[in-house]
Each structure stands twice: as C-alpha cells, then as structure tokens.
C-alpha cells in the first residue's frame, strides 16, 4: 500500500528543511517538495539535491516567472494597488500563485494535504490557506508552526539546527544575516532581527550590504538616465523601443531601477492578523512601472473612471495583502479595472536619478488632453466659454449659501 503524500512549499532554508523531515517522520508520509521559480535567482541553486537529501520523495521546481509577471503583477499594477500608501505588495502577490501551483501538484500526485512553513504570526499563512480554500477545499492544510507538538520540539533556532545536524540535513544557519528575506521578480523584503527595532536606521551606510537589488541613492550615477515605456491597454509592452514580454519588462526595469537606487521603502505596516510589523523593501522595477502607468493614465483615462477606480485602490490592495486574490470581490474589481484600461495606451518618458523617478513627457494616440481647450491663451476652437463658469460656480455654491444661512458666525449652528 502506497504512503500518504504531502506537498510542501519548500525554500531550502532552515525552517522548511526541518519541516520536511519532521512531516515525513510525524505523518509517515511521502513529502513532495515544491519550489516556485518566481525570480529568486541564485537562491535556487542546488535546491533539488538538497530537498532529496533532506528526505523528499520527489521535487518540483517550476519556472513560473512569466505567469507571475503576466497574470499577477501586471493586473495588480493596472489596478494601481498600493498598500497603506507605500507597499507595492511584492510578497503578497506571489503567494496566491505559489499556492495555486501547490494545489495543482497535490491533485496530480494524489496528495491528501499541502503544508507550508509560514508562522502563526504572519500574513503568509492566511494567503496560502485562503487560496487553497478557494481552489481546492478538499485538501487538508498542515501548518506546523501552529501545532503545539512542533513548537514544543522547536522552541528556538538552536533546537532546529541541532535537529538538522542530527539527521544530516544540509542547511546553512548563520548569524551573519540577522534578518529574514523574501525575493521574487517584483521585490525583495527584509524583516525581523535588528529590523524589529523601528528606530534602527536601515538606510545607514553601515547597513548597505543588506541590500540586493539596488545601490543606495548616494552611490547611484551622478548623471540622470532617460527611459521610455510604451503601454497598450494598461500594460507595458516595450522599453526604449524594444518590444518585451511581461517577464522581459520586469527584468529590464529591475536593472534600470537598481542602477539608480530606485524603489527602497522602509515602513511599519498593519498585518492582517492584527499586529504591526516593520519591513524594508526593494522594488526597483515595480516603482518605475507604477509611476509610468499612473502618468499614462493621467493622459488617457476619463476623470470619473479614474476617480472610481482610485476609490477602490485601498480595498483592492487590502484584498491582495490579506490573501483574497481568488475572492469574488477581487475578481469583480478586476473586471472594472480591465474595462478602465482599454484606452491606457501611449508612451511615457521618465528620468531616473538618485532614487527618483521623474516624469519627463507623455504622449498617446488616444490622449484626452486638448491643448486648445486647456491653453491660457485664446481658444481657437471656442470649445470652452469662460462665461459658462459663472453659472457652474453659482449652482455649486447654492448649498453652501443655504447652509451659511442657518449657521452663526462661529460656524457652530443657529441658536435654539
């Protein structure tokens, strides 16, 4: 009789390596290790061999970079998503893709459960499990960090390291990097360790070796660089005249943004589980793309459509952050976003300089900007009669005048 199977989201780090071995022992199951290649670069080197040595019966390392860029990053950027005014959702948007592929593998392999190494204090546990609930509700989800028996066995990293050494698990645990990272095509994040002190200056020159994707603005080139992004229906399709697919766009913009020290964010954010946490992010290409897209919209999107879409940005960003990518409300908002992008076509020129993304021109064959109407000089088309503004202002002032009539001079309301 064949053993039960569990699909584990595997990174090769200390936590998931220990979890792989512990799951195998505890559940007497075959563990299928799954890693999504979503742009981690050299972090994937030797991963398959490591997983097999740790006890995995099978290993999947799937290249999902193109799907990540096309079906997750680009739709999210069309929506203008920005969490709490700063975070471009680099980790958040990757989780539903990883979980989606996990459940596909679980079904193909006949696994009864999926497992992950997310802690009970973070957002990722929610993102993985809500995706699984939406796509494969029949699967069990095993979250070792929420199990008493696992936490009792591993109260700290010392116990995990000892366990790994006793079983010959090839892991590297060191104090050289006292923080955790998460890297993908959109960004890299840093948290925990010394970053748990919100007064710690992560931008100080002494901490520069922490960063991976970008130089500091101080070390960026002293000369600005111009870049042109071409858009079709809200998606970037070319850079400096070179046609690129979504993956190519992200790779090129990451290179440019990193060179000029663009996209570093240090913030204290509100986790879905209720606590505040401090995170440092590098999102070089995403910052350029976000800025360019917004400038393209300013020229081509109808005012009321833009304001309606903008009113939904906090909701959309929260849905992504909190793990509701596959929820009916996110899909409904996305349909509105797609409709809003049908004329977001043209070219944006930007100047990149020492951490800044500066607008340097925008044009479109479907521009809604009419220089003849907007000019402060005489309108040759006579499309706008300035006298019309008198009645416009009078009508908009009517309710204010009516309110003023029942207010006293201090604005506290009429007596009696």
């Amino acid at each position: 009789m064949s053993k039960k199977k569990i699909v584990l989201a595997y990174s090769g780090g200390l936590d998931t390596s220990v979890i792989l071995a512990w799951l195998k022992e505890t559940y007497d199951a075959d563990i299928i290790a799954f890693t999504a290649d979503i742009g981690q670069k050299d972090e994937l080197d030797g991963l398959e061999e490591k997983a097999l040595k740790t006890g995995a019966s099978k290993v999947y390392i799937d290249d999902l970079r193109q799907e990540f860029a096309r079906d997750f990053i680009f739709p999210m950027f069309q929506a203008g998503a920005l969490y709490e005014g700063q975070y471009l959702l680099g980790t958040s948007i990757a989780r539903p893709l990883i979980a989606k592929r996990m459940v596909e593998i679980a079904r193909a392999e006949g696994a009864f459960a999926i497992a992950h190494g997310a802690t009970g204090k973070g957002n990722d546990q929610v993102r993985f499990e809500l995706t699984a609930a939406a796509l494969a509700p029949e699967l069990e989800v095993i979250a070792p960090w929420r199990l008493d028996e696992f936490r009792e066995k591993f109260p700290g990293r010392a116990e995990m390291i000892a366990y790994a050494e006793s079983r010959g698990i090839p892991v590297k645990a060191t104090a050289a990097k006292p923080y955790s990272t998460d890297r993908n095509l959109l960004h890299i994040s840093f948290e925990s360790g010394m970053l748990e002190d919100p007064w710690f200056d992560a931008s100080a020159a002494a901490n520069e070796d922490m960063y991976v994707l970008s130089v500091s603005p101080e070390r960026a080139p002293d000369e600005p660089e111009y870049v042109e992004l071409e858009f079709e229906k809200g998606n970037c399709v070319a850079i400096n005249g070179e046609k690129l697919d979504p993956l190519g766009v992200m790779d090129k913009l990451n290179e440019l943004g990193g060179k000029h020290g663009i996209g570093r964010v240090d913030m204290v954010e509100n986790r879905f589980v209720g606590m505040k946490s401090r995170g440092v992010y590098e999102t070089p290409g995403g910052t350029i793309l976000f800025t360019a897209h917004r400038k393209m919209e300013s020229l081509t999107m109808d005012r009321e459509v833009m304001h309606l879409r903008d009113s939904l940005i906090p909701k959309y960003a929260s849905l992504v952050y909190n793990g509701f990518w596959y929820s009916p409300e996110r899909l409904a908002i996305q349909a509105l976003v797609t409709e809003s992008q049908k004329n977001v076509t043209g070219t944006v020129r930007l100047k990149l300089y020492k951490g800044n993304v500066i607008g340097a021109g925008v044009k479109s064959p479907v521009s809604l900007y009419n220089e003849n109407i907007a000019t402060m000089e005489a309108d040759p088309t006579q499309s706008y009669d300035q006298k019309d503004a008198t009645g416009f202002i009078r009508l908009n002032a009517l309710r204010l005048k009516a309110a003023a009539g029942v207010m006293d001079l201090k604005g506290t309301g009429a007596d009696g």
Side-chain angles (χ1 to χ4, degrees), residues 77-115:
F77 273 65
Q78 283 188 327
L82 193 63
Y83 184 69
E84 296 187 339
Q86 297 183 76
Y87 177 36
L88 285 167
L89 297 161
T91 294
S92 313
I93 192 60
R95 296 318 189 224
L97 172 58
I98 296 170
K100 167 180 168 287
R101 183 60 183 140
M102 282 180 73
V103 302
E104 290 171 350
I105 292 170
R107 282 175 165 167
E109 293 285 349
F112 82 95
I114 61 172

Side-chain angles (χ1 to χ4, degrees), residues 1-7 23-24 26-32 57 109-113 140 142:
M1 216 176 151
S2 61
K3 283 188 175 182
K4 296 181 294 183
K5 296 178 181 179
I6 300 170
V7 177
L23 288 171
K24 185 175 182 179
T26 303
Y27 290 86
D28 189 26
D30 285 336
I31 309 302
I32 300 167
S57 61
E109 293 285 349
F112 82 95
E140 291 185 32
I142 301 172

Side-chain angles (χ1 to χ4, degrees), residues 35 94 122 124 134 162 170 176 178-179 191 202 217 268 298 308 323 344 363 374 407 412:
T35 300
D124 280 345
Y179 47 82
E191 63 180 13
V268 175
S298 72
L308 176 60
V344 182
K363 62 182 180 180
M407 301 288 285
T412 56

Side-chain angles (χ1 to χ4, degrees), residues 360-373:
V362 58
K363 62 182 180 180
S364 170
V366 289
S367 170
L368 296 178
Y369 175 79
N370 188 319
E371 187 175 353
N372 289 328
I373 296 176

Side-chain angles (χ1 to χ4, degrees), residues 79-292:
L82 193 63
Y83 184 69
E84 296 187 339
Q86 297 183 76
Y87 177 36
L88 285 167
L89 297 161
T91 294
S92 313
I93 192 60
R95 296 318 189 224
L97 172 58
I98 296 170
K100 167 180 168 287
R101 183 60 183 140
M102 282 180 73
V103 302
E104 290 171 350
I105 292 170
R107 282 175 165 167
E109 293 285 349
F112 82 95
I114 61 172
H116 61 77
T119 76
K121 285 188 173 182
N123 298 303
D124 280 345
Q125 57 180 337
V126 185
R127 296 165 183 156
F128 281 125
E129 296 181 37
L130 290 181
T131 298
L135 301 181
E138 76 280 4
L139 290 175
E140 291 185 32
V141 179
I142 301 172
W145 281 113
R146 299 207 306 265
L147 300 176
D148 291 339
E149 57 267 37
F150 183 84
R151 292 197 312 277
E152 288 170 3
K153 188 175 183 66
F154 304 109
R157 290 178 66 82
E159 290 79 8
M160 298 185 81
I161 293 170
Y163 178 86
E165 290 176 347
S166 70
R167 285 158 176 77
I169 297 173
V171 297
K172 294 179 181 179
T174 173
K177 292 184 177 181
Y179 47 82
S180 65
T181 65
D182 180 75
R183 181 178 180 177
N184 62 44
L185 185 63
L186 182 54
H187 86 162
I188 186 167
S189 65
F190 309 89
E191 63 180 13
S192 73
M194 74 282 197
L195 298 174
E196 290 179 353
D197 175 7
W199 191 247
F200 178 84
D201 183 4
S203 73
N207 303 315
E208 187 58 27
D209 61 350
M210 179 179 78
Y211 296 93
V212 177
L213 302 180
S214 63
V215 301
S216 68
E218 294 91 337
R219 293 170 56 193
D222 291 330
E223 295 297 323
E225 181 172 357
Y226 286 84
V227 59
E228 292 187 3
L229 284 74
E230 295 178 31
F231 285 85
E232 290 181 4
K233 296 184 178 180
N235 287 324
C236 181
V237 297
I239 298 174
N240 292 333
E242 179 186 1
K243 293 291 183 182
L244 295 168
D245 60 23
L247 174 57
V249 167
M250 295 308 302
D251 281 339
K252 182 63 176 178
L253 292 181
N254 278 329
E255 176 189 341
L256 289 168
K259 173 183 175 182
H260 291 279
I262 289 164
R264 293 187 178 187
V265 169
D266 185 341
M267 65 182 290
V268 175
E269 67 201 57
N270 290 293
R271 286 183 178 173
F272 191 24
V273 294
M275 69 187 72
K276 289 184 180 291
S277 67
R278 194 266 189 98
V280 176
Y281 302 102
E282 290 180 90
T283 319
T287 301
I288 297 172
L289 182 61
F290 184 89
T291 303

